[in-house]
């Protein structure tokens, strides 16, 4: 039996191995035919030579990731082990770019390969579709790109919108005026903004119209110039709404359209405007589509498993 010995240098074994060696357990799960023993700052691995070579290559990716980000969590390990691991570490000129210095010095960056592709796409195209399941960072990355553009004076305003589709609820029975009824539907957009802009400044931006958060109905008849515009939950637009929105684009505008075709809340007889747009616009220059998947999920680790579980029954229906 062949043996591979790896010694960690300049890396804390306790942090790298994880609490109760949970990261080592993930390695064992991914390489069931290898015997993996971690002691002190050394890892000894026993098995066939080909598997040892693959383990060594993947382990190099893990240490490189740790050296770059000073952390190693379950999501990162699974991405590095399960996919083309080198992609996770790909170093395009903006892969490690800080998009926004957020509240309390928080550094807002693209976290995954596909999120970095979204950043690249928005940089190189005026209209981008970000398509993927819940928790993949579509909205958060998009808002970070918009705030970055505003801070760098690339645009004069940010416009955030989403269709007021009532996921099983009825707006008419909610208390308050129209704004108060709709605010809960806009909450994910507010949450992202609060991470990136200080409260007083955010309130000022909203008050003077630099940042506008409004339902799609408020877009009709407008021309959106000098703006970074994000349409969230685009899967819940109708044909007419999507066409209306896309044709609002004015001079020096960036449009980002986010959606999850697996979470459509429209009545069954209506076709999703997002699904239709992805078909009819796919060959137009200047429009790019970025697909995100469960490898991009950065919420609780269970979210990825929930998405995977539902894929099975959705594909069978």
């Amino acid at each position: 039996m062949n043996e591979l010995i790896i010694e960690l240098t300049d890396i804390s074994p306790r942090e790298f191995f994880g609490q109760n060696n949970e990261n080592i357990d993930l390695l064992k799960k991914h390489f069931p035919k290898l015997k993996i023993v971690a002691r002190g700052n050394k890892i000894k691995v026993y098995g066939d030579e080909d598997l040892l070579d693959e383990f060594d290559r993947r382990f190099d990716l893990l240490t490189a990731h740790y050296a770059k980000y000073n952390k190693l969590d379950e999501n990162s390990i699974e991405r590095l082990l399960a996919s083309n691991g080198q992609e996770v570490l790909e170093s395009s000129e903006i892969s490690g770019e800080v998009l926004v210095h957020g509240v309390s010095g928080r550094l807002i960056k693209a976290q995954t390969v596909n999120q970095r592709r979204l950043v690249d796409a928005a940089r190189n195209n005026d209209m981008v579709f970000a398509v993927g399941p819940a928790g993949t960072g579509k909205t958060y990355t998009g808002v970070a790109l918009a705030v970055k553009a505003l801070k760098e004076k690339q645009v004069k305003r940010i416009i955030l919108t989403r269709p007021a589709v009532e996921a099983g609820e009825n707006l008419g029975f909610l208390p308050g005026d129209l704004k108060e009824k709709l605010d809960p539907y806009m909450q994910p957009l507010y949450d992202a903004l609060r991470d990136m802009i200080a409260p007083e400044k955010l309130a000022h931006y909203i008050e003077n119209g630099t940042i506008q958060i409004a339902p799609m109905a408020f877009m009709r008849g407008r021309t959106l110039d000098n703006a970074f515009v994000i349409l969230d939950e685009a899967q819940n637009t109708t044909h007419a709404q999507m066409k209306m929105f896309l044709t609002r684009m004015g001079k020096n505008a960036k449009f980002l359209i986010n959606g999850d075709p697996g979470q459509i809340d429209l009545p069954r007889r209506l076709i999703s405007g997002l699904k239709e747009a992805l078909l009819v616009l796919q060959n137009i220059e200047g429009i790019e589509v970025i697909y995100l998947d469960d490898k991009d999920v950065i919420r609780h680790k269970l979210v990825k498993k929930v998405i995977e579980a539902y894929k099975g029954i959705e594909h069978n229906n």
Side-chain angles (χ1 to χ4, degrees):
M1 184 177 287
N2 298 291
E3 179 186 44
L4 171 68
I5 300 176
I6 300 173
E7 184 173 354
L8 296 178
T9 57
D10 300 323
I11 290 178
S12 164
R14 183 174 58 83
E15 293 180 8
F16 189 85
F17 294 164
Q19 187 174 7
N20 298 321
N21 279 2
E22 60 186 5
N23 293 343
I24 298 299
D25 291 339
L26 286 172
L27 285 171
K28 291 178 179 178
K29 183 180 177 181
H30 190 78
F31 292 97
K33 294 183 179 180
L34 294 177
K35 181 181 178 182
I36 303 171
V37 180
R39 284 200 182 94
N41 68 334
K42 291 183 180 179
I43 293 181
K44 293 183 179 181
V45 191
Y46 305 90
D48 292 340
E49 187 174 353
D50 288 347
L51 279 176
L52 289 179
D53 288 343
E54 174 66 9
F55 180 92
D56 194 28
R57 189 175 73 82
R58 296 286 179 173
F59 197 84
D60 283 345
L61 294 173
L62 294 178
T63 55
H65 184 277
Y66 183 86
K68 186 173 183 179
Y69 297 106
N70 293 314
K71 68 175 184 177
L72 193 64
D73 56 28
E74 182 176 348
N75 283 339
S76 301
I77 292 171
E78 288 186 353
R79 288 199 302 271
L80 288 160
L81 295 180
S83 60
N84 178 357
Q86 189 58 42
E87 285 188 347
V88 180
L89 296 171
E90 66 182 3
S91 52
S92 68
E93 63 180 60
I94 61 169
S95 65
E97 176 186 2
V98 175
L99 297 177
V100 179
H101 291 269
V103 176
S104 301
R106 182 175 183 177
L107 302 181
I108 311 295
K109 298 182 181 182
Q111 302 265 333
T112 70
V113 173
N114 287 327
Q115 287 178 14
R116 290 198 288 272
R117 286 177 178 152
L118 176 56
V119 172
D120 281 326
R123 190 178 191 178
N124 298 320
N125 300 273
D126 287 336
M127 185 178 291
V128 177
F129 288 79
V131 181
T136 51
K138 304 181 299 294
T139 299
Y140 201 81
T141 304
V143 171
L145 286 167
V147 172
K148 175 181 170 65
L150 181 66
K151 287 187 173 184
E152 295 179 354
K153 302 188 187 311
Q154 297 171 15
V155 297
K156 293 182 179 178
R157 54 187 172 154
I158 295 172
I159 299 171
L160 310 173
T161 186
R162 62 193 309 187
V165 172
E166 315 152 31
E169 302 170 5
N170 194 319
L171 279 177
F173 290 101
L174 293 174
D177 59 21
L178 182 59
K179 181 182 183 302
E180 290 169 328
K181 288 176 187 286
L182 290 169
D183 267 357
Y185 292 87
M186 305 296 177
Q187 201 60 47
L189 301 171
Y190 284 113
D191 289 344
L193 286 168
R194 289 188 186 108
D195 277 355
M196 301 174 202
I197 302 175
E200 301 83 4
K201 195 165 192 176
L202 177 58
H204 175 68
Y205 278 157
I206 292 174
E207 185 179 348
N208 69 12
T210 300
I211 294 178
Q212 301 171 27
I213 305 176
M216 280 202 70
F218 289 22
M219 299 295 109
R220 192 173 301 279
R222 301 179 65 184
T223 299
L224 306 177
D225 294 320
N226 299 307
F228 198 115
V229 187
I230 298 176
L231 168 59
D232 207 29
E233 300 289 344
Q235 75 275 4
N236 289 326
T237 60
T238 63
H239 160 87
Q241 286 175 323
M242 179 62 82
K243 182 180 177 185
M244 178 274 291
F245 173 79
L246 296 178
T247 54
R248 300 306 94 198
M249 188 177 228
K251 296 177 181 178
N252 190 38
K254 290 270 190 184
F255 271 38
L256 178 62
I257 300 96
N258 297 331
D260 175 8
Q263 288 191 333
I264 296 173
D265 297 320
L266 293 168
R268 288 186 178 274
R269 69 182 184 276
L270 293 178
I271 297 173
S272 166
L274 174 64
K275 284 189 171 182
E276 185 180 60
L278 292 173
L279 289 173
V280 301
L281 303 177
Q282 60 184 332
N283 295 319
I284 296 181
E285 187 177 351
I287 299 176
E288 187 166 351
V289 180
I290 300 296
Y291 290 95
L292 300 97
D293 56 32
D294 53 2
K295 296 187 190 69
D296 300 294
V297 171
I298 52 176
R299 291 180 182 170
H300 193 285
K301 61 185 179 182
L302 284 176
V303 174
K304 186 183 300 185
K305 296 175 182 177
V306 169
I307 291 169
E308 195 61 40
Y310 271 93
K311 272 185 186 176
I313 62 170
E314 289 167 354
H315 289 165
N316 292 332
N317 288 338

